[in-house]
Amino acid sequence: MGQDNFTTEVSSQSTFFGASILPAICLALLVATAIVMPMCFLGNASGHDFLPHVASWVEANNQWHQGIFFPSWAAGANSGFGEPRFIFYPPGSWMLGSALGSVLPWRMVPGAFVWLCIFLAGISMWKLAREWLPAPQARAAAILFAANPYHLTLAYYRSDFAELLASAIFPLMLAGAFGLLRDGWRRMALLSIAFAGIWLSNAPAGVVATYSLALILVVACIVVRRVKPLLFGALAMLAGFGLAAFYILPAWREQRWVQIAQAVSTTYEPTRNFLFTRINDPDFVQFNWKMSALAVGLMILTALGIAFSFRQRREWSRVWWLLIALTVASIFLMMPPSAILWRHLPELKFLQFPWRWLLVLSLAFAFFAAAVRSQRWQWVWGLTLVCAIGATAATIAGDTSWDSEDVPTLVADVGAGRGYDGIEGFQPRDAKIDELDNESPLVGEVDPESGDVDAPEETQVNIQMWTAEHKAFTAQTEEPVTLALKLLNYPAWELRVDGKITTANAAPQTGQIVIHLDQGTHQVELQFQRTRDRTIGRLISALFAVCLLITVGVTVASARRESTVARASRP
């Protein structure tokens, strides 16, 4: 199959930094502002995942003030007993939220986060579409993707800030993947960076990106009848995993230390959450049906976009087939017949909800809808899209919980040491969250008969330091005693008693750390250590980052040489 003349012409006109992007920037700014505007008057949209995300932002920001730039242990989680959420939750969203909290009042941070993500989504979609569509259609694609119904759901109904950030990066990954068909290895850097960016934003979106990219590369080999796209793409994926290794390796390796199976148990099992399910918890069934209606609506709109743009497929035939493959795959994976894939494909079950494939379908919808150029249908089609997005916005607004006090209340709880709820699946393996006493002292005595933890009476405890990753105190006792710390046991905690490393034990009733001390005065210190997997992960990421910089340098130099030769050859 030969090179598309149209794509060559478009590619020569599109630039990320040229004047052609200015209209797209203005439109993305307007769309992002319009979507966030209700929050300026009604307060923050407090969806299902609102408080866990905001808690991570506040926690990370507090640890920055303690001198911990890249946290691992969330000290305030589980009402102050802590959990290793920062090891398992990708850093992109909570670091961005923390950064925004450093310059803005916390009340404004959720809206600012959504605004940035919607703006980035519009620009990245413009980048993808402009390489294959004329300027007007590329701008339409940017608007449709930025304001697509799934984004509105993520922002206002689910408050899944991390997935919204990953979705905003997704078009850049496809721009890199599709670019392999035309520019070969020169697009590997963009593909690697975008792929790593998705993994560092949201783990379920990372799984979606991995399988989507694998499908694209296989179909691309079939379309162009060459193996080069697969080879270049595989190398780019490897580089992307390498860039994100500082997060992925510890998160994968330390799963055995937490209750990760809880994340996909019963209610969250993918096979119980297919479209229009009836076999889950009643509240989940009700929520699922709303998401199912949204999914069906996007399927219909995407099918209409494919039908209306069918005549233009020859102008970007390679991309047309790749997007068709992604569309079919995403729809199939939301349906019950795909259950066998959910059970056996590696890590796919951690998506929890099959409708998360709307992330892919919404992009295909925006591209196909924008590609329609028939004058006969444009006005009808445009009105249909406006009505569909407007109806989605109105429906979501009716189900949205507006609350201006959630954020300041959470900030106050963290500041006062009361903490916040943990994330199911991220608690240490021996933790029994329901048995924890939220009023427990930082260091308490364990009753040898009942096992209850009370404030020390016969032991004098002097707290010297109690930060997120460093705890130190002295204990003076006239007889042997067992002390319980307001801290869940985790293998990364190194316990020293009187300067000697000692094995930390977990209370069987709660999973919190208990220390057995003999008569006398003792110095106790706990330090959250960097495990070997975290060290190796950072070294791998640093190595791939250097290799990527070299690749970018070679790519730029090659492009300049070709540009110089082209100018010299002109009459």
Side-chain angles (χ1 to χ4, degrees):
M1 192 173 292
Q3 178 72 38
D4 296 333
N5 295 330
F6 178 74
T7 60
T8 304
E9 176 186 348
V10 169
S11 179
S12 66
Q13 297 173 0
S14 64
T15 172
F16 229 130
F17 302 102
S20 61
I21 195 177
L22 292 179
I25 290 177
C26 293
L27 288 172
L29 289 172
L30 288 173
V31 172
T33 303
I35 288 176
V36 174
M37 189 61 68
M39 297 186 190
C40 299
F41 301 100
L42 302 175
N44 289 310
S46 184
H48 301 163
D49 296 339
F50 183 80
L51 288 178
H53 282 290
V54 176
S56 295
W57 304 346
V58 175
E59 175 76 55
N61 191 269
N62 281 357
Q63 294 197 32
W64 285 4
H65 287 89
Q66 297 176 20
I68 305 171
F69 176 72
F70 196 79
S72 297
W73 182 263
N78 300 303
S79 301
F81 283 87
E83 69 183 15
R85 73 162 62 183
F86 292 127
I87 294 176
F88 299 96
Y89 210 96
S93 65
W94 53 259
M95 292 195 78
L96 176 57
S98 177
L100 291 173
S102 298
V103 297
L104 295 172
W106 279 111
R107 289 175 183 268
M108 297 177 60
V109 172
F113 193 107
V114 172
W115 188 92
L116 282 174
C117 289
I118 297 299
F119 173 75
L120 176 59
I123 296 302
S124 61
M125 187 65 195
W126 175 88
K127 171 63 177 175
L128 168 64
R130 187 65 185 99
E131 297 185 356
W132 306 94
L133 301 175
Q137 271 105 339
R139 291 193 288 269
I143 296 172
L144 290 172
F145 181 68
N148 80 75
Y150 190 54
H151 280 177
L152 299 179
T153 302
L154 290 175
Y156 279 93
Y157 195 38
R158 294 186 56 215
S159 294
D160 194 335
F161 299 99
E163 189 172 341
L164 183 62
L165 177 61
S167 181
I169 303 172
F170 206 85
L172 292 179
M173 187 193 78
L174 293 193
F178 294 165
L180 291 178
L181 301 179
R182 183 181 58 231
D183 301 324
W185 64 272
R186 293 180 179 85
R187 286 304 186 93
M188 288 177 59
L190 174 61
L191 177 54
S192 300
I193 294 172
F195 183 68
I198 294 172
W199 266 105
L200 293 175
S201 299
N202 182 254
V207 176
V208 170
T210 302
Y211 282 108
S212 297
L213 186 53
L215 177 63
I216 287 173
L217 296 175
V218 171
V219 175
C221 287
I222 298 173
V223 170
V224 301
R225 299 178 183 177
R226 287 182 296 175
V227 76
K228 278 188 177 182
L230 181 60
L231 294 178
F232 290 147
L235 289 174
M237 288 181 71
L238 177 62
F241 279 124
L243 289 173
F246 71 93
Y247 153 70
I248 294 177
L249 184 60
W252 169 73
R253 181 65 178 167
E254 297 186 26
Q255 285 185 27
R256 67 190 191 279
W257 293 345
V258 296
Q259 303 173 21
I260 196 67
Q262 296 296 324
V264 290
S265 62
T266 57
T267 300
Y268 302 104
E269 186 181 356
T271 54
R272 297 170 63 91
N273 287 284
F274 288 119
L275 298 188
F276 297 108
T277 185
R278 294 178 179 271
I279 59 172
N280 212 328
D281 178 86
D283 290 337
F284 267 77
V285 169
Q286 183 181 16
F287 173 68
N288 175 279
W289 276 56
K290 294 177 181 179
M291 296 301 299
S292 300
L294 173 66
V296 171
L298 271 177
M299 291 176 193
I300 294 172
L301 292 174
T302 305
L304 290 173
I306 293 172
F308 291 158
S309 64
F310 186 76
R311 293 184 178 180
Q312 284 81 49
R313 74 189 187 283
R314 296 183 182 276
E315 299 171 352
W316 37 282
S317 59
R318 297 176 178 181
V319 173
W320 193 86
W321 284 110
L322 298 182
L323 284 175
I324 287 292
L326 280 178
T327 300
V328 172
S330 61
I331 293 174
F332 176 71
L333 285 166
M334 288 186 272
M335 303 294 186
S338 66
I340 187 172
L341 298 180
W342 288 95
R343 292 191 182 99
H344 298 290
L345 287 180
E347 307 303 321
L348 190 61
K349 63 182 179 181
F350 287 105
L351 262 67
Q352 299 174 317
F353 309 113
W355 42 257
R356 271 188 162 135
W357 280 91
L358 287 172
L359 187 153
V360 177
L361 186 62
S362 62
L363 186 147
F365 149 73
F367 199 100
F368 284 122
V372 176
R373 282 195 287 168
S374 172
Q375 295 293 331
R376 179 182 178 183
W377 292 104
Q378 271 189 347
W379 285 103
V380 176
W381 182 230
L383 184 61
T384 301
L385 295 177
V386 169
C387 291
I389 295 176
T392 302
T395 302
I396 292 173
D399 290 332
T400 298
S401 175
W402 303 96
D403 198 324
S404 298
E405 297 304 320
D406 279 352
V407 174
T409 299
L410 190 146
V411 172
D413 286 344
V414 173
R418 292 187 291 270
Y420 47 87
D421 292 337
I423 296 179
E424 190 171 13
F426 290 170
Q427 288 93 358
R429 183 183 55 200
D430 297 327
K432 297 177 176 62
I433 303 303
D434 294 337
E435 302 300 325
L436 295 175
D437 181 6
N438 296 342
E439 303 300 323
S440 175
L442 296 181
V443 180
E445 289 186 11
V446 178
D447 188 317
E449 295 183 0
S450 65
D452 294 336
V453 178
D454 299 307
E457 296 180 356
E458 300 180 0
T459 303
Q460 295 182 6
V461 175
N462 178 29
I463 305 293
Q464 298 170 322
M465 179 177 292
W466 201 271
T467 61
E469 297 187 356
H470 190 195
K471 325 283 185 182
F473 63 93
T474 59
Q476 183 177 357
T477 178
E478 296 181 356
E479 58 183 29
V481 67
T482 299
L483 299 180
L485 278 58
K486 192 172 185 179
L487 181 67
L488 292 176
N489 191 28
Y490 190 73
W493 283 110
E494 181 184 83
L495 170 64
R496 289 179 181 267
V497 178
D498 299 328
K500 297 181 180 179
I501 297 178
T502 305
T503 302
N505 297 311
Q509 301 92 340
T510 60
Q512 66 191 106
I513 291 178
V514 293
I515 305 171
H516 305 288
L517 298 178
D518 295 327
Q519 177 185 359
T521 301
H522 303 277
Q523 175 70 38
V524 180
E525 187 173 4
L526 293 99
Q527 184 75 43
F528 197 84
Q529 298 293 333
R530 182 188 299 174
T531 52
R532 183 179 301 176
D533 50 61
R534 273 176 268 162
T535 300
I536 295 174
R538 294 182 185 187
L539 290 174
I540 292 174
S541 293
L543 176 62
F544 274 93
V546 171
C547 294
L548 184 64
L549 287 174
I550 295 173
T551 302
V552 171
V554 172
T555 302
V556 172
S558 176
R560 286 179 177 175
R561 281 197 304 269
E562 291 180 2
S563 178
T564 301
V565 170
R567 286 197 300 268
S569 63
R570 292 174 184 171

